[in-house]
Amino acid sequence: MKSSEIRRSFLEFFKSKNHQIVQGSPIVVKDDPTLMFINAGMNQFKDVFLGNAPVKFPRVADTQKCLRVSGKHNDLEEVGHDTYHHTLFEMLGNWSFGDYFKEEAIAWAWELLTEVFKIDKKNLYVTVFSGDEQDGLSMDAEAKESWKKYIREDHILLGSKKDNFWEMGETGPCGPCSEIHIDLRSEEEKTKIPGHELVNRDHPLVIEIWNLVFIEFNRQANGKLSVLPQKHIDTGMGFERLAMVLQGVKSNYDTDVFKPLINFIAKMAGVTYGQDEKKDIAMRVISDHLRAVAFAIADGQLPSNTGAGYVIRRILRRAVRYGFTFLDFQEPFIYKILPVLVEQLKDVFPEIESQQNLVEMVIKEEESTFLRTLSQGVKRFDQYINMNPDSKVIDGDFAFELFDTFGFPIDLTRLMAREIGLDVNMEDFQKGLEAQKSRSRKAAEKTTDDWIELIPNAPATKFLGYNRLECEAQIVKYRQVTQKKNTMYEVVLDRTPFYAESGGQVGDSGVLEIAGQVLHVVDTRKENNLPIHIVAEEPKNPTATLLAKVDMEKRRLTANNHSATHLMHAALRQVLGTHVEQKGSMVDSERLRFDFSHFAKMTDEEIREVEKKVNAKIRENISCQIKENVPIEEAKKMGAMALFGEKYGEQVRVITFDPGYSVELCGGTHVPATGQIGFFKVISESGIAAGVRRIEAYTADAAETYIFEHLDLMTEIQGQFKGAVNPLTAVKNLIQDNSSLSKEIEQFQKEKTHQLAGELMKTAKKIGDFTYVVRKIAIDPNQAKNLVHQLRAMEDHMIVVLAMEEDGKANLVVGLSDELTSTGKFNAGNIIRKISPFIKGGGGGQPHFAMAGGKDPSGINEALKAAESEIVSGS
RNA sequence: GGGGGAUUAGCUCAGUUGGCUAGAGCGUUUGACUGGCAGUCAAGAGGUCACCGGUUCGAUUCCGGUAUUCUCCA
């Protein structure tokens, strides 16, 4: 069975059981500080479980891209070494929100596996939660009874809290779970060791394929469990593993999910998969990582040096490293594999096809910068080896520096060391790494106290901020948060006019007036759909009714920038083309920043054209049409621009400025009509990654100030040129004159020193064939340098000592001809050190040329005398 | 968010006790050779050594700050 059929069968099966088939969410997580990427099918329903969002469909099924780079069974460094762990994988799942429960979940799972997929029942094992004394829970008899209808009792195993009790986090919804495992070993193996002994033992052929979670409790902050009024089902089945089972192969990488990728890589590298374990690992790593990186970029997460972007960069670099080391790829190669992946998955995940160009460019660019990093690391490594030819062990501190500062992977350092018979001091390396980690942790240390709940089980916060900037409200809960000795309070209200940071628009600030106390709201953020007001003071009387007031001025300026962003987005698509897509956006009260896909630097003309279009739309004073709760399909028909990597519900909000110009899905706040924006001015255009440009711009007062400042500067410049009509030509002429004058001066000085050199030569004294000049002259010290160099080239055996006086300071210069220097008889540095004390100074230089400076010009004569006697006695 | 590094010619980079007249390769201009292209040779142009301040007689070099950028950690 082809993997695409497996996926389709799964979805169709649950559709036949009245499930709504939904789209998986993009893997990049935006509003959950505890999570960077979607790592389980249930992530997109977290708000539903937490009660922060209403249930749209009671029964749902989907396939969800998941990305895991760390966790109990999945360390990035291990992926590729075995045959069944991945960074990116698909999770097939079905859900019930307060609808069916254990009985049906179990029955359907069994039906799908054994009747649709025709898996042999005798190879299946299931596990059931055995109970936990501490939590006061007994064995999950309900699940066990259900299973007994389908499977022999000796294939039902009991599991502890560790394997069979699922929790979302420290607190929140949780419950027992029941896993389905499969034994894929040969008959012979099975008779040797019975399958039930290998379940949950990390055996590569006795593996978990499906986990059914029965959410029925809520873990409270005090650690106690309470029973949920609504019970839910949450299941997840690893798609790649299922494919392995149904295609009768022993490794996920042998399924048609990975095989085309592996074959392509093998062909490119000129090797055969299955011949050399190290090369096989490399190919597995590359095929796995390509999938992760490609989808992350398609969903809007570009590689970068912080946060989620850094995770993506690390994954990609790991793939490059394996290709570089084991498959001898010296040039970017991963981007070349992308078309294979696109061909495989474009029907299921269309974003990978529509974003293909960008993904390819970004990957290629990342690859080449990393290869550059690698070659610089190799250079530094060689330098180290040359400087420490005798050491048997490479310094751990050096290896760490290479890694930490230059991004050179430690295992490459070790590999290169081994090749020349050296070891790396890993202990010191680890020490360095630990020190780095603890420094970072300390800097990011944040202590979060428990929520103080004032209104238990409150419904989701009502947002009133689209229409009102002020309202009365109650505190639902609040808690203290301390970071770097800075204490803040997070406050949740039952209703609020405060906009929480989202869609690139910053959170509102303002005040909460409560029982005569004023709490300053410095920011408003969203965590799992819950708007949180960050407040500087602790509420003294938290149960009182409060008055929430948003900072109107800031909100107004922010709206200007946000609406201008929409107008600019549309203008960019008109001017540059429809390949322009939003890749990021930041809007606050001071400016707007917009990242978008485009392949080249914008020309000045293009920027000007965009500015003109936006300003024209501002002058048209188009009123903003806002439509709430529009079904997504209808919004798309309206021509609304949706963003890749953005998660949209079934009902969306549509912002329109002229239906023929700008229609966008957006949750932000906007101007009532474009005229309020006043004026729009781009202040910078730059590149932030391959194929991605960034524009920053001002609107309204800020744009006005910007223009005025520039005009004022212009006026001042014009003033400097008095009557000049065109200051540009005046400046050009000035620069031209300046450079020709400097050249002339240089020429004069050359001539002057040449002349001076000739004159000085006339006063030169001789001892045999040995010539010397010792003089005090009036010349600029920099010119003296030139003069000495001229003089010392005039005779084979020559010493020049010159002294100058300037601004009450004394300078000495000593020069030797090259020939004389090579005899070693004299040394300019030595001479200068002997004579510089006379002028109360010091100096130095090379054997053939030295300079000194001092504070006492009255000592010049003595210094020269000393120099002369030194020369005479030495000759 | 925290640590470390980098910033020198159009590009890639050298430049260690602070004083060498700031260099190399590629590119570029001109000339010569060649039937043309490619090429070879010769000559030349191109630098506020990121910016601001400090130490020093003297800073591309040492110290501090700013900007940009790379990199590791969170």
Side-chain angles (χ1 to χ4, degrees):
Chain A
M1 196 182 228
K2 276 166 54 180
S3 60
S4 54
E5 288 164 22
I6 296 171
R7 191 189 291 111
R8 196 168 53 234
S9 306
F10 174 90
L11 295 175
E12 271 169 13
F13 176 81
F14 281 101
K15 198 173 176 185
S16 76
K17 307 290 183 197
N18 295 320
H19 283 63
Q20 177 74 26
I21 307 305
V22 299
Q23 272 290 322
S25 104
I27 43 177
V28 182
V29 175
K30 298 237 166 95
D31 66 343
D32 186 345
T34 63
L35 204 60
M36 284 182 183
F37 300 101
I38 295 288
N39 66 2
M42 56 69 61
N43 289 156
Q44 70 164 323
F45 305 112
K46 206 169 158 184
D47 330 346
V48 179
F49 289 131
L50 286 168
N52 295 342
V55 175
K56 286 174 202 138
F57 305 103
R59 295 179 183 189
V60 166
D62 73 2
T63 178
Q64 173 67 54
K65 293 169 286 186
C66 299
L67 189 65
R68 287 188 191 171
V69 284
S70 59
K72 59 177 177 176
H73 286 309
N74 212 23
D75 186 0
L76 176 61
E77 287 307 318
E78 295 304 317
V79 171
H81 287 260
D82 63 33
T83 57
Y84 56 101
H85 281 115
H86 302 293
T87 50
L88 181 109
F89 58 93
E90 280 181 61
M91 188 95 105
L92 302 169
N94 59 292
W95 285 270
S96 150
F97 304 113
D99 190 16
Y100 65 84
F101 204 47
K102 294 180 193 177
E103 177 74 42
E104 294 89 333
I106 287 171
W108 291 335
W110 191 256
E111 184 185 337
L112 180 65
L113 291 181
T114 60
E115 286 172 35
V116 178
F117 291 142
K118 310 246 184 283
I119 294 176
D120 194 341
K121 292 174 193 178
K122 72 175 194 302
N123 288 334
L124 293 174
Y125 293 85
V126 301
T127 63
V128 168
F129 179 51
S130 62
D132 187 83
E133 221 167 279
Q134 203 187 333
D135 281 333
L137 295 176
S138 53
M139 195 256 283
D140 188 356
E142 191 184 349
K144 192 173 178 187
E145 284 310 306
S146 294
W147 280 121
K148 272 164 67 181
K149 294 182 199 160
Y150 310 107
I151 192 167
R152 279 167 43 188
E153 202 161 348
D154 63 350
H155 278 225
I156 302 175
L157 311 169
L158 291 182
S160 66
K161 188 170 165 183
K162 178 175 150 278
D163 286 322
N164 284 84
F165 196 85
W166 181 89
E167 308 209 33
M168 193 163 76
E170 299 278 304
T171 59
C174 56
C177 62
S178 203
E179 300 167 342
I180 304 171
H181 294 252
I182 188 161
D183 184 355
L184 297 170
R185 294 172 304 151
S186 64
E187 288 308 318
E188 193 188 4
E189 292 285 326
K190 284 178 194 164
T191 47
K192 271 192 221 156
I193 307 170
H196 64 82
E197 287 181 20
L198 291 172
V199 167
N200 270 332
R201 291 283 188 278
D202 281 336
H203 190 288
L205 294 176
V206 183
I207 53 173
E208 175 194 336
I209 52 174
W210 205 343
N211 190 5
L212 314 177
V213 181
F214 315 125
I215 297 175
E216 50 188 322
F217 302 110
N218 185 40
R219 174 79 67 186
Q220 295 168 324
N222 61 13
K224 293 243 162 62
L225 293 175
S226 61
V227 177
L228 284 173
Q230 293 267 359
K231 295 181 181 178
H232 312 297
I233 290 292
D234 160 27
T235 86
M237 172 152 62
F239 171 68
E240 293 76 10
R241 287 184 183 187
L242 182 64
M244 169 174 102
V245 172
L246 299 181
Q247 294 178 2
V249 291
K250 306 278 180 190
S251 153
N252 290 1
Y253 293 93
D254 290 334
T255 64
D256 66 349
V257 179
F258 285 95
K259 208 71 211 178
L261 297 171
I262 299 251
N263 286 342
F264 189 84
I265 297 164
K267 202 172 156 198
M268 222 174 17
V271 300
T272 310
Y273 184 74
Q275 304 267 318
D276 178 339
E277 180 64 10
K278 278 188 174 161
K279 293 190 160 102
D280 291 354
I281 290 174
M283 288 187 261
R284 291 200 288 265
V285 166
I286 295 163
S287 63
D288 175 275
H289 291 5
L290 166 70
R291 285 161 42 96
V293 171
F295 277 106
I297 297 172
D299 278 349
Q301 183 56 63
L302 296 168
S304 74
N305 57 357
T306 52
Y310 181 54
V311 173
I312 298 306
R313 172 167 284 175
R314 259 169 49 198
I315 296 174
L316 181 62
R317 291 189 166 191
R318 184 167 183 262
V320 174
R321 214 170 78 212
Y322 273 82
F324 179 81
T325 310
F326 299 108
L327 301 174
D328 205 29
F329 287 120
Q330 308 284 344
E331 298 288 322
F333 65 99
I334 295 174
Y335 76 98
K336 292 182 187 162
I337 315 165
L338 185 67
V340 181
L341 180 69
V342 171
E343 199 48 45
Q344 272 183 298
L345 290 175
K346 62 181 183 189
D347 295 332
V348 195
F349 304 107
E351 65 274 18
I352 196 72
E353 189 181 24
S354 59
Q355 298 291 297
Q356 184 173 356
N357 273 339
L358 179 79
V359 174
E360 213 166 293
M361 275 209 277
V362 171
I363 291 181
K364 188 178 175 189
E365 175 71 18
E366 270 295 306
E367 283 191 87
S368 33
T369 53
F370 184 54
L371 286 169
R372 201 157 47 231
T373 303
L374 284 183
S375 71
Q376 294 201 335
V378 171
K379 215 193 272 179
R380 279 199 99 79
F381 180 86
D382 290 342
Q383 262 171 20
Y384 174 87
I385 297 297
N386 285 334
M387 283 169 73
N388 302 279
D390 302 323
S391 65
K392 297 260 182 293
V393 177
I394 288 178
D395 204 21
D397 292 342
F398 170 73
F400 181 68
E401 189 199 4
L402 214 51
F403 167 75
D404 180 52
T405 303
F406 300 99
F408 198 73
I410 182 64
D411 48 354
L412 267 190
T413 306
R414 297 182 76 178
L415 200 77
M416 284 166 55
R418 220 173 298 139
E419 275 170 8
I420 50 172
L422 297 183
D423 254 343
V424 178
N425 184 338
M426 286 307 286
E427 218 169 282
D428 283 358
F429 175 85
Q430 288 299 343
K431 260 185 218 160
L433 192 61
E434 275 313 308
Q436 157 97 294
K437 283 186 180 178
S438 74
R439 242 197 327 268
S440 286
R441 262 195 293 268
K442 210 170 163 191
E445 214 163 58
K446 180 176 164 185
T447 52
T448 309
D449 289 7
D450 270 343
W451 285 109
I452 298 169
E453 300 222 27
L454 305 174
I455 308 176
N457 300 321
T461 305
K462 238 193 195 147
F463 177 63
L464 307 176
Y466 287 138
N467 309 313
R468 299 169 62 178
L469 295 181
E470 230 182 272
C471 75
E472 287 192 338
Q474 294 283 331
I475 296 180
V476 171
K477 57 183 177 179
Y478 72 101
R479 66 180 174 188
Q480 183 181 318
V481 175
T482 308
Q483 189 164 22
K484 283 200 210 163
K485 291 174 191 161
N486 226 342
T487 300
M488 292 292 196
Y489 297 87
E490 298 187 343
V491 176
V492 175
L493 303 177
D494 61 343
R495 51 207 292 244
T496 182
F498 282 81
Y499 182 82
E501 175 172 357
S502 154
Q505 181 178 333
V506 293
D508 277 330
S509 48
V511 292
L512 304 178
E513 294 173 5
I514 178 164
Q517 187 190 10
V518 176
L519 306 175
H520 292 89
V521 178
V522 293
D523 195 5
T524 312
R525 290 182 209 143
K526 213 183 249 184
E527 280 184 24
N528 300 314
N529 221 16
L530 196 66
I532 292 179
H533 306 76
I534 314 288
V535 171
E537 304 86 4
E538 178 166 24
K540 285 182 197 135
N541 201 343
T543 53
T545 298
L546 58 78
L547 184 63
K549 282 181 171 170
V550 173
D551 182 330
M552 279 172 61
E553 180 62 10
K554 264 192 168 174
R555 168 70 87 81
R556 191 177 61 82
L557 294 171
T558 305
N560 287 341
N561 285 332
H562 199 155
S563 299
T565 304
H566 284 211
L567 299 181
M568 181 178 76
H569 188 180
L572 283 169
R573 289 171 69 94
Q574 284 189 1
V575 173
L576 301 177
T578 48
H579 62 276
V580 168
E581 269 162 11
Q582 177 170 340
K583 287 292 154 206
S585 162
M586 213 283 294
V587 174
D588 62 21
S589 58
E590 302 193 338
R591 67 197 213 294
L592 64 96
R593 198 174 77 196
F594 188 71
D595 301 340
F596 59 99
S597 49
H598 181 55
F599 42 80
K601 181 168 176 59
M602 283 177 75
T603 62
D604 293 345
E605 291 75 26
E606 285 167 340
I607 293 173
R608 184 51 48 88
E609 208 180 323
V610 167
E611 288 173 330
K612 278 183 172 172
K613 271 193 200 299
V614 172
N615 280 313
K617 289 292 167 188
I618 290 172
R619 285 192 297 271
E620 275 179 41
N621 198 22
I622 305 162
S623 60
C624 176
Q625 294 170 32
I626 302 173
K627 280 193 181 157
E628 316 250 356
N629 302 323
V630 181
I632 184 121
E633 286 310 316
E634 194 181 313
K636 282 182 183 162
K637 270 184 215 144
M638 290 164 67
M641 276 185 279
L643 308 184
F644 285 96
E646 202 60 53
K647 174 177 155 190
Y648 295 107
E650 289 303 311
Q651 307 278 309
V652 293
R653 185 163 176 267
V654 182
I655 302 290
T656 306
F657 293 104
D658 180 351
Y661 185 70
S662 163
V663 185
E664 284 198 48
L665 306 185
C666 177
T669 62
H670 286 273
V671 296
T674 58
Q676 188 193 302
I677 300 167
F679 185 59
F680 168 83
K681 179 79 190 87
V682 170
I683 55 164
S684 83
E685 193 270 354
S686 58
I688 55 164
V692 183
R693 312 293 306 175
R694 167 171 294 175
I695 281 188
E696 289 177 89
Y698 287 152
T699 62
D701 316 29
E704 187 185 78
T705 308
Y706 180 83
I707 294 290
F708 283 167
E709 275 173 4
H710 276 71
L711 286 178
D712 289 349
L713 183 66
M714 193 67 197
T715 311
E716 265 183 64
I717 291 171
Q718 221 154 358
Q720 290 295 318
F721 287 107
K722 301 289 190 273
V725 188
N726 187 344
L728 182 64
T729 45
V731 169
K732 276 183 181 166
N733 289 340
L734 195 64
I735 290 170
Q736 181 67 44
D737 289 354
N738 188 42
S739 90
S740 64
L741 283 175
S742 326
K743 274 189 187 143
E744 241 170 86
I745 289 173
E746 207 180 317
Q747 194 55 38
F748 273 128
Q749 274 172 342
K750 250 186 203 164
E751 276 169 31
K752 195 178 152 200
T753 51
H754 194 74
Q755 210 179 355
L756 211 49
E759 277 168 31
L760 283 173
M761 264 327 260
K762 284 180 198 156
T763 71
K765 297 183 183 172
K766 284 203 175 228
I767 304 174
D769 65 339
F770 175 76
T771 315
Y772 68 93
V773 174
V774 177
R775 282 284 302 274
K776 178 182 174 186
I777 57 169
I779 190 175
D780 172 78
N782 282 326
Q783 289 305 316
K785 207 197 271 185
N786 284 332
L787 184 57
V788 167
H789 281 295
Q790 283 203 18
L791 282 167
R792 70 183 196 86
M794 289 169 93
E795 292 282 341
D796 284 347
H797 290 81
M798 173 99 191
I799 294 191
V800 187
V801 180
L802 297 181
M804 290 131 285
E805 185 181 345
E806 197 185 58
D807 300 336
K809 284 178 186 171
N811 281 291
L812 297 169
V813 188
V814 178
L816 273 66
S817 60
D818 287 335
E819 183 117 343
L820 185 59
T821 312
S822 62
T823 65
K825 249 180 169 174
F826 290 99
N827 182 310
N830 290 344
I831 295 173
I832 208 91
R833 269 187 287 277
K834 276 202 182 125
I835 64 174
S836 56
F838 292 107
I839 55 165
K840 296 202 171 110
Q846 282 79 47
H848 68 286
F849 179 85
M851 287 183 87
K855 289 170 213 158
D856 186 11
S858 67
I860 284 179
N861 284 333
E862 277 178 77
L864 290 179
K865 259 184 222 162
E868 185 160 3
S869 66
E870 182 78 15
I871 292 165
V872 172
S873 68
S875 61

